[in-house]
Structure formats: C-alpha cells, structure tokens
C-alpha cells in the first residue's frame, strides 16, 4: 500500500518529465550591460572630439540612454531531462544625436539680423550576435511550472558604427564594421509556465545584454 501511494505521488512529476517538449523557440528583449556599449561610447567620444562637439550634450531619448536594446531569437533542443542545447541570434541598436549652434550677425540694409547654422550629428551602432547555446535546469518545482537554470553561449558578434551629419560639407560621414568573439553568460534564469508556454527572465553578462525578458514556446 505504501509503495502504491508513493507511486501515485511521483506520477504527476514523472508525467511532466515525459511530456516536456523536445523543441523550444523563444523571443526576448534585452538591454544594458553589453560590451558593445563601451565601444560605441569610445567611438562617439572620438568623433565629438574631432568635430568640436560636447560629448555630454547628447539629445538621446532618456529611455535608451545610449545603450543597446536587443531582440534575441533562440532555438533549444532537449538533449536530456534537464540539459538543452541550441542556437541564438541577437539584433541590437542604439543611437545618439548632437547639435552644434553657431550664431552670426548679419545686416539687412541697415537692420542687424541674427542667424544661426546647425550641424546635426547623428551616431548609430548596430550589432548582430550569433552562437550555439547550452542551458541546464538545476531546479524544477514538483509541478514543473517553475524552473531555474544557468546557460552559456559562445559565438561571434558584428558591430557597425556610423556617424553622419545633416550638413554633408561640414564633415565626411564615417562607418566602421568589426567582427569579434562573442559570448553570453547567464548565471541565473527563471521560467514560469508549462513546457509548452513559458515566460522567462534572465540575468547575465555578454553580447546579448544583462537583463533579458521573453516568451518561450515548446513543440
């Protein structure tokens, strides 16, 4: 009788493990903490210094604060009960704007008229990340609705830095593209929901940003 009760108690967990989906697709939005932010900051400082702009006078919308916002797409395959392997791709963008005013005084006949010219400097960074991934679930609730995991991804990243003016004659436009080694370390990730439909949040470091929120679908 005790064995039967023990089996009935373990049956829901066993059924949940058996019915875990083999394939998972996810989409998420991430921000802050990517190494690409520092390279973009160094680029903007260099351009501003050469052009005579004040680097601290950016007119970037405060929500973005000149940091990359990324959209991440991912596929995972369940290799064992708790280990997932797959691939991920991330697309990120950020921008900053600067204005430089010069006030001149001219005379229209005998009437002094003040005019000004504006150089509108716009700088943008585009990033792309691609790499294989691994994720291990080290905690799972009895029902399987709540899970905690860690993950790692190693790949490549492509960053394009652009600088352009509305007054083309003022300065030549610039564009630089670099390929680098990329990575994403996720010490802690949390997911909520059944295997077929999960919300998740991740805290990590790397080329897919520090804070990641998204939706995962199993098939």
């Amino acid at each position: 009788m005790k064995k039967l009760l023990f089996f009935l108690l373990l049956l829901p967990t066993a059924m949940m493990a058996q019915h875990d989906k083999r394939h998972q697709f996810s989409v998420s939005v991430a921000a802050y903490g990517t190494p690409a932010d520092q390279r973009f900051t160094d680029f903007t400082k260099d351009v501003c210094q050469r052009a005579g702009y004040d680097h601290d006078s950016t007119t970037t919308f405060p929500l973005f604060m000149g940091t990359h916002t990324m959209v991440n797409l991912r596929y995972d395959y369940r290799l064992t009960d708790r280990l997932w392997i797959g691939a991920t791709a991330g697309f990120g963008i950020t921008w900053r704007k600067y204005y430089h005013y010069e006030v001149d005084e001219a005379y229209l006949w005998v009437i002094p008229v003040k005019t000004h010219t504006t150089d509108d400097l716009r700088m943008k960074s585009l990033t792309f990340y691609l790499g294989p991934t691994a994720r291990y679930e080290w905690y799972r609730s009895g029902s399987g609705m709540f899970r905690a995991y860690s993950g790692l991804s190693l790949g490549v990243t492509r960053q394009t830095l652009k600088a352009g003016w509305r007054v083309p004659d003022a300065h030549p436009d610039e564009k630089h593209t670099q390929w680098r080694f990329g990575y994403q370390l996720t010490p802690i990730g949390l997911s909520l929901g059944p295997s077929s439909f999960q919300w998740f949040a991740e805290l990590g470091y790397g080329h897919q940003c520090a804070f990641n929120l998204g939706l995962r679908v199993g098939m």
Side-chain angles (χ1 to χ4, degrees):
M1 186 66 179
K2 291 183 178 180
K3 291 184 178 180
L4 179 60
L5 291 175
F6 181 73
F7 173 77
L8 292 176
L9 289 173
L10 290 180
L11 184 60
T13 303
M15 291 179 63
M16 178 64 68
Q18 292 174 1
H19 286 83
D20 265 0
K21 304 299 182 180
R22 182 68 66 176
H23 308 276
Q24 286 185 340
F25 300 88
S26 65
V27 59
S28 60
V29 177
Y32 300 106
T34 171
D37 284 338
Q38 184 58 50
R39 290 194 289 270
F40 182 53
T41 297
D42 293 341
F43 173 71
T44 57
K45 286 183 177 179
D46 178 64
V47 174
C48 285
Q49 183 178 8
R50 288 188 280 113
Y53 281 57
D54 180 7
H55 180 263
D56 297 326
S57 64
T58 176
T59 58
T60 303
F61 189 61
L63 177 64
F64 298 98
M65 297 298 291
T67 64
H68 285 81
T69 301
M70 297 196 70
V71 175
N72 299 312
L73 305 175
R74 181 166 171 170
Y75 165 75
D76 291 294
Y77 175 80
R78 183 166 61 84
L79 192 62
T80 68
D81 184 41
R82 292 180 181 267
L83 179 62
W84 299 76
I85 59 173
T88 181
F91 307 86
I93 184 173
T94 188
W95 59 86
R96 293 177 183 174
K97 297 180 182 179
Y98 299 88
Y99 295 94
H100 179 64
Y101 296 95
E102 293 183 359
V103 179
D104 299 318
E105 188 174 71
Y107 285 88
L108 181 61
W109 296 99
V110 293
I111 303 175
V113 178
K114 289 187 176 182
T115 63
H116 70 272
T117 58
T118 305
D119 291 342
D120 183 352
L121 171 59
R122 303 186 180 190
M123 285 183 275
K124 181 187 298 184
S125 175
L126 302 172
T127 60
F128 170 71
Y129 175 80
L130 180 66
T133 61
R135 182 178 96 239
Y136 182 77
E137 294 179 357
W138 44 266
Y139 174 78
R140 183 184 300 174
S141 64
S143 64
M145 293 290 290
F146 178 76
R147 309 180 189 214
Y149 57 89
S150 299
L152 176 66
S153 176
L154 300 175
V156 295
T157 181
R158 179 180 186 268
Q159 184 173 15
T160 300
L161 302 170
K162 298 181 179 180
W165 282 261
R166 275 194 172 180
V167 184
D169 294 336
H171 304 277
D173 292 350
E174 294 187 33
K175 180 179 178 181
H176 307 280
T177 299
Q178 293 180 326
W179 287 88
R180 297 174 181 266
F181 168 75
Y183 60 91
Q184 181 70 20
L185 174 64
T186 305
I188 178 68
L190 304 174
S191 65
L192 180 63
S195 179
S196 58
F197 188 91
Q198 299 175 353
W199 295 99
F200 68 91
E202 297 177 348
L203 177 64
Y205 180 78
H207 289 87
Q208 290 183 290
C209 299
F211 303 100
N212 193 21
L213 299 174
L215 174 65
R216 186 178 291 133
V217 178
M219 305 179 94

